Amino acid sequence: MKARAFSYLRARTIEEALAAHSQAGDDARFIAGGQSLVPTLALRLQAPKLLIDITHLAELRGVRREGEFLRIGALTRHREVMDQPLIAEFAPLLRAAAPFVAHPAIRNRGTLGGSIALSDPAAEFPAMVLALDAEIEIAGLSGTRRVKASDFFVDLFETALAPGELVTAIHVPLFKTSQRIAFDELARRRGDYALVGCGMIASYDGPKIETIRIGFFAVGPVPTRARHAEATLNSHALDAARIAAAQAALEEDLAPPDSEDVPPAMRLHLARVLLGRLLGRIGEGA
Ligand code: FAD
């Protein structure tokens, strides 16, 4: 199948991109890496009349420190998340997740901003951005704003983005040497979307976890913080009993969807297995 005919605009400024989208309304789509959008066009699941190419917008590029945050431009490709030295140093949880996103060809084109804007519940980066307590920078016709990740992912493929708004950057609180991270996922084959995935960041106070934030994906309509599990771990040293308590608490955190493929009880079981493994790594100093 081929995509329906569409017009194409290569935007030179954010203002031009926003104005073109506003004029075309529901008939327009921004295109970044195209790794999610193009297949849906080819399958005619979407048929916008106008594609607005945002890949030449300089404001959406680059990675730099800004105060207590690392600003990662929306056009940063998955491949760059793996290679960029500032991301490795100050946002290592994103670095750890990146090799699990799809395959090299897709990582060479797909963008971090595209992944966050699309907000696929099975995608790695949205859940990591949530665990990191990051902020999403958004540009619209009325100006720029920042939204906390906890307020950004609203429902299945639904975010705090208003129609025609652009994700311009992700702001990640700088990683500190007192923190530890761990990431992994369970998939049928490497590169497939995960059956269950999880990433975490823990701040340590001596032998005890001071605070931990845990983000799951592929467990429901939106990326999910495991807040009950976190509460069992905060202010405690990790031992087998504490890990078992956190695994048990997942019952209250996750409500996996009913699916013939993976029944909810099995997905919850896999989430517990994954949590146990990752907490083991955190305890060993990951
Ligand atoms: P595009 O495809 O260009 O756009 C996607 C949507 O986001 C569109 O609606 C577009 O309008 C909108 N958009 C894009 N950028 C912005 C922006 N800055 N502001 C506002 N809206 C924007 N992803 C995973 O996370 N994990 C996987 O395992 C995985 N496996 C994949 C396997 C295959 C075979 C394929 C084809 C894709 C896979 N993906 C996976 C998706 C891939 O990571 C996409 O690249 C990513 O989700 C979207 O990024 P993009 O830049 O390609 O966005």
CSV table of all heavy atoms in Angstrom, one decimal, residues 21 29-39 46 54 60 74-75 77-78 100-103 106-107 109-118 120 122-126 161 165-168 185 191-194, ligand 1:
chain,number,residue,atom,x,y,z
A,21,HIS,N,0.6,24.5,11.1
A,21,HIS,CA,-0.2,23.5,11.7
A,21,HIS,C,-1.6,24.1,12.1
A,21,HIS,O,-2.6,23.5,11.9
A,21,HIS,CB,0.5,22.9,13.0
A,21,HIS,CG,-0.1,21.5,13.3
A,21,HIS,ND1,-1.4,21.3,13.7
A,21,HIS,CD2,0.6,20.3,13.3
A,21,HIS,CE1,-1.5,20.0,13.9
A,21,HIS,NE2,-0.4,19.4,13.7
A,29,ARG,N,0.2,17.0,10.2
A,29,ARG,CA,1.0,16.3,11.2
A,29,ARG,C,2.5,16.8,11.1
A,29,ARG,O,3.0,17.0,10.0
A,29,ARG,CB,1.1,14.8,10.8
A,29,ARG,CG,-0.2,14.0,10.9
A,29,ARG,CD,-0.7,13.8,12.3
A,29,ARG,NE,-1.9,13.0,12.3
A,29,ARG,CZ,-3.1,13.6,12.0
A,29,ARG,NH1,-3.2,14.9,11.8
A,29,ARG,NH2,-4.2,12.8,12.0
A,30,PHE,N,3.1,16.9,12.3
A,30,PHE,CA,4.6,17.1,12.3
A,30,PHE,C,5.2,15.8,11.9
A,30,PHE,O,4.8,14.8,12.3
A,30,PHE,CB,5.0,17.6,13.6
A,30,PHE,CG,4.5,18.9,14.1
A,30,PHE,CD1,3.8,19.0,15.3
A,30,PHE,CD2,4.6,20.1,13.3
A,30,PHE,CE1,3.3,20.2,15.7
A,30,PHE,CE2,4.1,21.3,13.7
A,30,PHE,CZ,3.4,21.4,14.9
A,31,ILE,N,6.4,15.9,11.2
A,31,ILE,CA,7.1,14.7,11.0
A,31,ILE,C,8.6,14.9,11.5
A,31,ILE,O,9.2,15.9,11.2
A,31,ILE,CB,7.1,14.1,9.6
A,31,ILE,CG1,7.9,12.9,9.5
A,31,ILE,CG2,7.5,15.2,8.5
A,31,ILE,CD1,7.6,12.0,8.2
A,32,ALA,N,9.1,14.0,12.4
A,32,ALA,CA,10.4,14.1,12.9
A,32,ALA,C,11.2,12.9,12.2
A,32,ALA,O,11.6,13.0,11.1
A,32,ALA,CB,10.4,14.0,14.4
A,33,GLY,N,11.5,11.8,13.0
A,33,GLY,CA,12.2,10.7,12.4
A,33,GLY,C,11.3,9.9,11.4
A,33,GLY,O,11.9,9.1,10.6
A,34,GLY,N,10.0,10.0,11.6
A,34,GLY,CA,9.1,9.3,10.6
A,34,GLY,C,9.0,7.8,10.9
A,34,GLY,O,8.3,7.1,10.2
A,35,GLN,N,9.6,7.3,12.0
A,35,GLN,CA,9.7,5.9,12.2
A,35,GLN,C,8.4,5.3,12.8
A,35,GLN,O,8.1,4.1,12.6
A,35,GLN,CB,10.8,5.5,13.2
A,35,GLN,CG,12.2,5.9,12.6
A,35,GLN,CD,12.4,5.2,11.2
A,35,GLN,OE1,12.4,4.0,11.1
A,35,GLN,NE2,12.5,6.1,10.2
A,36,SER,N,7.5,6.1,13.3
A,36,SER,CA,6.2,5.7,13.7
A,36,SER,C,5.1,6.2,12.7
A,36,SER,O,4.2,5.6,12.3
A,36,SER,CB,5.8,6.2,15.1
A,36,SER,OG,6.7,5.5,16.0
A,37,LEU,N,5.4,7.5,12.3
A,37,LEU,CA,4.4,8.1,11.4
A,37,LEU,C,4.3,7.5,10.0
A,37,LEU,O,3.2,7.2,9.5
A,37,LEU,CB,4.7,9.6,11.3
A,37,LEU,CG,3.7,10.4,10.5
A,37,LEU,CD1,2.3,10.4,11.1
A,37,LEU,CD2,4.1,11.9,10.4
A,38,VAL,N,5.5,7.3,9.4
A,38,VAL,CA,5.5,6.8,8.0
A,38,VAL,C,4.8,5.4,7.8
A,38,VAL,O,3.9,5.3,6.9
A,38,VAL,CB,6.9,6.8,7.4
A,38,VAL,CG1,6.9,6.1,6.1
A,38,VAL,CG2,7.4,8.3,7.3
A,39,PRO,N,5.0,4.5,8.7
A,39,PRO,CA,4.3,3.2,8.6
A,39,PRO,C,2.7,3.4,8.6
A,39,PRO,O,2.0,2.8,7.9
A,39,PRO,CB,4.8,2.4,9.8
A,39,PRO,CG,6.1,2.9,10.1
A,39,PRO,CD,6.0,4.4,9.8
A,46,GLN,N,-3.6,6.7,8.8
A,46,GLN,CA,-3.7,8.2,8.9
A,46,GLN,C,-3.6,8.7,7.5
A,46,GLN,O,-2.8,8.2,6.7
A,46,GLN,CB,-2.7,8.8,9.7
A,46,GLN,CG,-2.6,8.4,11.2
A,46,GLN,CD,-1.7,9.3,11.9
A,46,GLN,OE1,-1.9,10.5,12.1
A,46,GLN,NE2,-0.6,8.8,12.4
A,54,ILE,N,9.9,18.9,10.8
A,54,ILE,CA,10.5,19.8,11.8
A,54,ILE,C,12.0,19.5,12.0
A,54,ILE,O,12.6,20.0,12.9
A,54,ILE,CB,9.8,19.6,13.2
A,54,ILE,CG1,9.8,18.1,13.6
A,54,ILE,CG2,8.3,20.1,13.1
A,54,ILE,CD1,9.2,17.9,15.0
A,60,LEU,N,15.4,22.7,18.3
A,60,LEU,CA,15.0,21.4,18.7
A,60,LEU,C,16.3,20.4,18.8
A,60,LEU,O,16.1,19.2,19.0
A,60,LEU,CB,13.9,20.7,17.8
A,60,LEU,CG,12.5,21.1,18.2
A,60,LEU,CD1,12.2,22.6,18.1
A,60,LEU,CD2,11.5,20.3,17.2
A,74,ALA,N,14.5,17.9,21.3
A,74,ALA,CA,13.5,16.9,20.8
A,74,ALA,C,14.0,16.1,19.7
A,74,ALA,O,13.6,14.9,19.5
A,74,ALA,CB,12.2,17.6,20.5
A,75,LEU,N,14.9,16.7,18.8
A,75,LEU,CA,15.3,16.0,17.6
A,75,LEU,C,16.5,15.0,17.9
A,75,LEU,O,17.0,14.4,16.9
A,75,LEU,CB,15.7,17.0,16.5
A,75,LEU,CG,14.5,17.7,15.9
A,75,LEU,CD1,15.0,18.8,14.9
A,75,LEU,CD2,13.6,16.7,15.2
A,77,ARG,N,18.4,11.9,18.2
A,77,ARG,CA,18.0,10.6,17.7
A,77,ARG,C,18.3,9.5,18.8
A,77,ARG,O,19.2,9.7,19.6
A,77,ARG,CB,18.7,10.3,16.4
A,77,ARG,CG,18.4,11.3,15.3
A,77,ARG,CD,18.9,10.8,14.0
A,77,ARG,NE,18.8,11.9,13.0
A,77,ARG,CZ,17.6,12.2,12.3
A,77,ARG,NH1,16.5,11.6,12.7
A,77,ARG,NH2,17.7,13.2,11.4
A,78,HIS,N,17.6,8.4,18.7
A,78,HIS,CA,17.8,7.3,19.7
A,78,HIS,C,19.3,6.9,19.7
A,78,HIS,O,19.9,6.7,20.7
A,78,HIS,CB,17.0,6.1,19.3
A,78,HIS,CG,15.5,6.4,19.1
A,78,HIS,ND1,14.9,7.4,19.8
A,78,HIS,CD2,14.5,5.7,18.4
A,78,HIS,CE1,13.6,7.4,19.4
A,78,HIS,NE2,13.3,6.4,18.6
A,100,PHE,N,17.7,-0.7,23.8
A,100,PHE,CA,16.5,-1.6,23.7
A,100,PHE,C,15.4,-1.1,22.8
A,100,PHE,O,14.4,-1.7,22.6
A,100,PHE,CB,15.9,-1.8,25.1
A,100,PHE,CG,16.8,-2.5,26.1
A,100,PHE,CD1,17.9,-1.9,26.7
A,100,PHE,CD2,16.6,-3.9,26.2
A,100,PHE,CE1,18.7,-2.6,27.6
A,100,PHE,CE2,17.5,-4.6,27.1
A,100,PHE,CZ,18.5,-4.0,27.7
A,101,VAL,N,15.6,0.1,22.3
A,101,VAL,CA,14.6,0.7,21.4
A,101,VAL,C,14.8,0.2,20.0
A,101,VAL,O,15.8,0.5,19.3
A,101,VAL,CB,14.6,2.3,21.4
A,101,VAL,CG1,13.6,2.8,20.5
A,101,VAL,CG2,14.5,2.8,22.8
A,102,ALA,N,13.8,-0.7,19.6
A,102,ALA,CA,13.8,-1.1,18.2
A,102,ALA,C,15.2,-1.7,17.7
A,102,ALA,O,15.9,-2.4,18.5
A,102,ALA,CB,13.3,0.0,17.3
A,103,HIS,N,15.6,-1.4,16.5
A,103,HIS,CA,16.8,-1.9,15.8
A,103,HIS,C,17.6,-0.7,15.4
A,103,HIS,O,17.1,0.4,15.3
A,103,HIS,CB,16.4,-2.7,14.6
A,103,HIS,CG,15.4,-3.8,14.9
A,103,HIS,ND1,15.8,-5.0,15.5
A,103,HIS,CD2,14.0,-3.8,14.8
A,103,HIS,CE1,14.7,-5.7,15.7
A,103,HIS,NE2,13.6,-5.0,15.3
A,106,ILE,N,16.2,1.9,12.9
A,106,ILE,CA,15.2,2.8,13.4
A,106,ILE,C,15.8,3.8,14.4
A,106,ILE,O,15.4,5.0,14.5
A,106,ILE,CB,14.1,1.9,14.1
A,106,ILE,CG1,13.3,1.2,13.0
A,106,ILE,CG2,13.1,2.8,14.9
A,106,ILE,CD1,12.6,0.0,13.5
A,107,ARG,N,16.8,3.3,15.2
A,107,ARG,CA,17.4,4.2,16.1
A,107,ARG,C,18.2,5.3,15.4
A,107,ARG,O,18.4,6.4,16.0
A,107,ARG,CB,18.4,3.4,17.1
A,107,ARG,CG,17.6,2.5,18.0
A,107,ARG,CD,18.5,2.1,19.1
A,107,ARG,NE,19.6,1.2,18.7
A,107,ARG,CZ,19.6,-0.1,18.7
A,107,ARG,NH1,18.5,-0.8,19.1
A,107,ARG,NH2,20.7,-0.8,18.4
A,109,ARG,N,17.2,7.0,12.9
A,109,ARG,CA,16.2,8.1,12.4
A,109,ARG,C,15.3,8.5,13.6
A,109,ARG,O,14.9,9.7,13.6
A,109,ARG,CB,15.4,7.5,11.3
A,109,ARG,CG,16.1,7.0,10.1
A,109,ARG,CD,16.8,8.1,9.3
A,109,ARG,NE,15.9,9.2,9.0
A,109,ARG,CZ,16.3,10.4,8.5
A,109,ARG,NH1,17.5,10.6,8.3
A,109,ARG,NH2,15.4,11.3,8.3
A,110,GLY,N,14.8,7.6,14.4
A,110,GLY,CA,13.8,8.0,15.4
A,110,GLY,C,14.3,9.0,16.4
A,110,GLY,O,15.5,9.0,16.7
A,111,THR,N,13.4,9.9,16.9
A,111,THR,CA,13.9,10.9,17.8
A,111,THR,C,13.3,10.8,19.2
A,111,THR,O,12.2,10.2,19.3
A,111,THR,CB,13.5,12.3,17.2
A,111,THR,OG1,12.0,12.4,17.2
A,111,THR,CG2,14.0,12.6,15.8
A,112,LEU,N,14.0,11.3,20.2
A,112,LEU,CA,13.5,11.3,21.5
A,112,LEU,C,12.2,12.0,21.6
A,112,LEU,O,11.2,11.6,22.2
A,112,LEU,CB,14.5,11.9,22.5
A,112,LEU,CG,14.2,11.9,24.0
A,112,LEU,CD1,14.0,10.5,24.5
A,112,LEU,CD2,15.3,12.7,24.8
A,113,GLY,N,12.1,13.2,21.0
A,113,GLY,CA,10.9,14.0,21.1
A,113,GLY,C,9.7,13.3,20.4
A,113,GLY,O,8.6,13.4,20.9
A,114,GLY,N,10.0,12.6,19.3
A,114,GLY,CA,8.9,11.9,18.6
A,114,GLY,C,8.4,10.8,19.5
A,114,GLY,O,7.2,10.5,19.6
A,115,SER,N,9.3,10.1,20.2
A,115,SER,CA,8.9,9.0,21.1
A,115,SER,C,8.0,9.5,22.3
A,115,SER,O,7.0,9.0,22.6
A,115,SER,CB,10.1,8.3,21.7
A,115,SER,OG,9.7,7.3,22.6
A,116,ILE,N,8.4,10.7,22.8
A,116,ILE,CA,7.7,11.3,24.0
A,116,ILE,C,6.3,11.8,23.5
A,116,ILE,O,5.3,11.6,24.1
A,116,ILE,CB,8.5,12.4,24.6
A,116,ILE,CG1,9.8,11.9,25.1
A,116,ILE,CG2,7.7,13.1,25.7
A,116,ILE,CD1,9.7,10.7,26.1
A,117,ALA,N,6.3,12.5,22.3
A,117,ALA,CA,5.1,13.0,21.8
A,117,ALA,C,4.1,11.9,21.4
A,117,ALA,O,2.9,12.1,21.7
A,117,ALA,CB,5.3,13.9,20.5
A,118,LEU,N,4.6,10.8,20.9
A,118,LEU,CA,3.7,9.7,20.5
A,118,LEU,C,3.1,9.0,21.7
A,118,LEU,O,2.0,8.7,21.8
A,118,LEU,CB,4.5,8.7,19.6
A,118,LEU,CG,3.7,7.6,19.1
A,118,LEU,CD1,2.6,8.0,18.1
A,118,LEU,CD2,4.6,6.6,18.4
A,120,ASP,N,3.7,6.0,23.1
A,120,ASP,CA,3.3,4.6,23.0
A,120,ASP,C,3.5,4.0,24.4
A,120,ASP,O,4.6,4.1,24.9
A,120,ASP,CB,4.2,3.9,21.9
A,120,ASP,CG,3.8,2.5,21.6
A,120,ASP,OD1,3.4,1.8,22.6
A,120,ASP,OD2,3.9,2.1,20.5
A,122,ALA,N,4.1,1.1,25.2
A,122,ALA,CA,5.1,0.1,25.2
A,122,ALA,C,6.5,0.6,25.0
A,122,ALA,O,7.5,-0.2,24.9
A,122,ALA,CB,4.8,-1.0,24.2
A,123,ALA,N,6.7,1.9,24.8
A,123,ALA,CA,7.9,2.5,24.5
A,123,ALA,C,8.8,2.7,25.7
A,123,ALA,O,8.3,3.0,26.8
A,123,ALA,CB,7.7,3.9,23.8
A,124,GLU,N,10.1,2.7,25.5
A,124,GLU,CA,11.0,2.8,26.6
A,124,GLU,C,11.1,4.2,27.2
A,124,GLU,O,11.1,4.4,28.4
A,124,GLU,CB,12.5,2.3,26.2
A,124,GLU,CG,12.6,0.8,26.0
A,124,GLU,CD,12.1,0.3,24.7
A,124,GLU,OE1,11.6,1.1,23.9
A,124,GLU,OE2,12.1,-0.9,24.4
A,125,PHE,N,11.4,5.2,26.3
A,125,PHE,CA,11.7,6.5,26.8
A,125,PHE,C,10.6,7.2,27.6
A,125,PHE,O,10.9,7.8,28.6
A,125,PHE,CB,12.1,7.4,25.6
A,125,PHE,CG,13.5,7.0,25.0
A,125,PHE,CD1,13.6,7.1,23.7
A,125,PHE,CD2,14.5,6.7,25.8
A,125,PHE,CE1,14.9,6.7,23.1
A,125,PHE,CE2,15.8,6.3,25.3
A,125,PHE,CZ,15.9,6.4,23.9
A,126,PRO,N,9.3,7.1,27.3
A,126,PRO,CA,8.3,7.8,28.1
A,126,PRO,C,8.4,7.3,29.6
A,126,PRO,O,8.4,8.2,30.5
A,126,PRO,CB,7.0,7.4,27.4
A,126,PRO,CG,7.4,7.2,26.0
A,126,PRO,CD,8.7,6.6,26.0
A,161,LEU,N,-0.1,17.6,25.3
A,161,LEU,CA,0.1,18.4,24.1
A,161,LEU,C,-1.3,18.8,23.6
A,161,LEU,O,-2.1,17.9,23.4
A,161,LEU,CB,0.8,17.7,23.0
A,161,LEU,CG,2.3,17.5,23.1
A,161,LEU,CD1,2.8,16.5,22.0
A,161,LEU,CD2,3.1,18.8,23.0
A,165,GLU,N,0.7,21.6,19.1
A,165,GLU,CA,1.9,22.0,19.9
A,165,GLU,C,3.0,21.1,19.6
A,165,GLU,O,2.9,19.9,19.2
A,165,GLU,CB,1.5,21.9,21.4
A,165,GLU,CG,0.7,23.1,21.9
A,165,GLU,CD,0.6,23.1,23.4
A,165,GLU,OE1,0.5,22.1,24.0
A,165,GLU,OE2,0.6,24.2,24.0
A,166,LEU,N,4.2,21.6,19.8
A,166,LEU,CA,5.5,20.9,19.5
A,166,LEU,C,6.2,20.6,20.8
A,166,LEU,O,6.3,21.4,21.7
A,166,LEU,CB,6.4,21.8,18.8
A,166,LEU,CG,6.5,21.8,17.2
A,166,LEU,CD1,7.5,22.8,16.8
A,166,LEU,CD2,6.9,20.4,16.7
A,167,VAL,N,6.7,19.4,20.9
A,167,VAL,CA,7.7,19.1,22.0
A,167,VAL,C,9.0,19.6,21.5
A,167,VAL,O,9.5,19.3,20.4
A,167,VAL,CB,7.9,17.6,22.2
A,167,VAL,CG1,9.0,17.3,23.2
A,167,VAL,CG2,6.6,17.0,22.8
A,168,THR,N,9.7,20.5,22.2
A,168,THR,CA,10.9,21.1,21.8
A,168,THR,C,12.1,20.5,22.5
A,168,THR,O,13.2,20.5,22.0
A,168,THR,CB,10.9,22.6,22.0
A,168,THR,OG1,10.3,22.9,23.3
A,168,THR,CG2,10.0,23.3,20.9
A,185,GLU,N,14.3,-5.1,30.2
A,185,GLU,CA,13.0,-5.4,29.8
A,185,GLU,C,12.9,-6.9,29.4
A,185,GLU,O,14.0,-7.5,29.1
A,185,GLU,CB,12.5,-4.5,28.6
A,185,GLU,CG,13.4,-4.7,27.3
A,185,GLU,CD,12.9,-3.7,26.2
A,185,GLU,OE1,12.7,-2.5,26.5
A,185,GLU,OE2,12.8,-4.2,25.1
A,191,GLY,N,14.8,-6.4,20.4
A,191,GLY,CA,14.3,-5.4,19.4
A,191,GLY,C,12.8,-5.3,19.3
A,191,GLY,O,12.3,-4.4,18.8
A,192,ASP,N,12.1,-6.4,19.7
A,192,ASP,CA,10.7,-6.3,19.7
A,192,ASP,C,10.2,-5.4,20.8
A,192,ASP,O,11.0,-5.1,21.8
A,192,ASP,CB,10.1,-7.7,20.1
A,192,ASP,CG,10.1,-8.7,18.9
A,192,ASP,OD1,10.5,-8.3,17.8
A,192,ASP,OD2,9.5,-9.8,19.1
A,193,TYR,N,9.0,-4.9,20.7
A,193,TYR,CA,8.4,-4.1,21.8
A,193,TYR,C,8.4,-5.1,23.0
A,193,TYR,O,8.1,-6.3,22.9
A,193,TYR,CB,7.0,-3.7,21.5
A,193,TYR,CG,7.0,-2.4,20.7
A,193,TYR,CD1,6.8,-2.4,19.3
A,193,TYR,CD2,7.2,-1.2,21.3
A,193,TYR,CE1,6.8,-1.2,18.6
A,193,TYR,CE2,7.2,0.0,20.6
A,193,TYR,CZ,7.0,0.0,19.2
A,193,TYR,OH,7.0,1.2,18.5
A,194,ALA,N,8.6,-4.5,24.2
A,194,ALA,CA,8.7,-5.4,25.4
A,194,ALA,C,7.4,-5.9,25.9
A,194,ALA,O,6.3,-5.3,25.6
A,194,ALA,CB,9.3,-4.5,26.6
B,1,FAD,P1,7.6,10.4,13.9
B,1,FAD,O1,7.3,9.0,13.4
B,1,FAD,O2,8.2,11.4,13.0
B,1,FAD,O3,6.3,11.0,14.6
B,1,FAD,C1,5.5,10.2,15.5
B,1,FAD,C2,4.3,11.1,16.0
B,1,FAD,O4,4.9,12.1,16.9
B,1,FAD,C3,3.6,11.8,14.9
B,1,FAD,O5,2.3,11.9,15.3
B,1,FAD,C4,4.3,13.2,14.9
B,1,FAD,O6,3.4,14.2,14.4
B,1,FAD,C5,4.6,13.4,16.4
B,1,FAD,N1,5.8,14.1,16.7
B,1,FAD,C6,7.1,13.8,16.3
B,1,FAD,N2,8.0,14.7,16.8
B,1,FAD,C7,7.2,15.6,17.5
B,1,FAD,C8,7.5,16.8,18.3
B,1,FAD,N3,8.8,17.2,18.5
B,1,FAD,N4,6.5,17.5,18.8
B,1,FAD,C9,5.2,17.1,18.6
B,1,FAD,N5,4.9,16.0,17.9
B,1,FAD,C10,5.9,15.3,17.4
B,1,FAD,N6,9.9,2.6,19.8
B,1,FAD,C11,10.2,2.2,21.0
B,1,FAD,O7,10.1,3.0,21.9
B,1,FAD,N7,10.6,0.9,21.3
B,1,FAD,C12,10.6,0.0,20.4
B,1,FAD,O8,11.0,-1.2,20.7
B,1,FAD,C13,10.3,0.3,19.0
B,1,FAD,N8,10.3,-0.6,18.0
B,1,FAD,C14,9.9,-0.2,16.8
B,1,FAD,C15,10.0,-1.2,15.8
B,1,FAD,C16,9.6,-0.8,14.5
B,1,FAD,C17,9.7,-1.9,13.4
B,1,FAD,C18,9.3,0.5,14.2
B,1,FAD,C19,9.0,0.9,12.8
B,1,FAD,C20,9.3,1.5,15.2
B,1,FAD,C21,9.6,1.1,16.5
B,1,FAD,N9,9.6,2.1,17.5
B,1,FAD,C22,9.9,1.7,18.8
B,1,FAD,C23,9.1,3.5,17.3
B,1,FAD,C24,10.4,4.4,17.1
B,1,FAD,O9,11.1,4.5,18.2
B,1,FAD,C25,9.9,5.8,16.7
B,1,FAD,O10,11.0,6.4,16.1
B,1,FAD,C26,9.5,6.8,17.8
B,1,FAD,O11,8.5,6.2,18.5
B,1,FAD,C27,8.9,8.1,17.2
B,1,FAD,O12,9.9,8.9,16.8
B,1,FAD,P2,10.0,9.6,15.4
B,1,FAD,O13,11.0,10.7,15.5
B,1,FAD,O14,10.3,8.6,14.4
B,1,FAD,O15,8.5,10.2,15.2
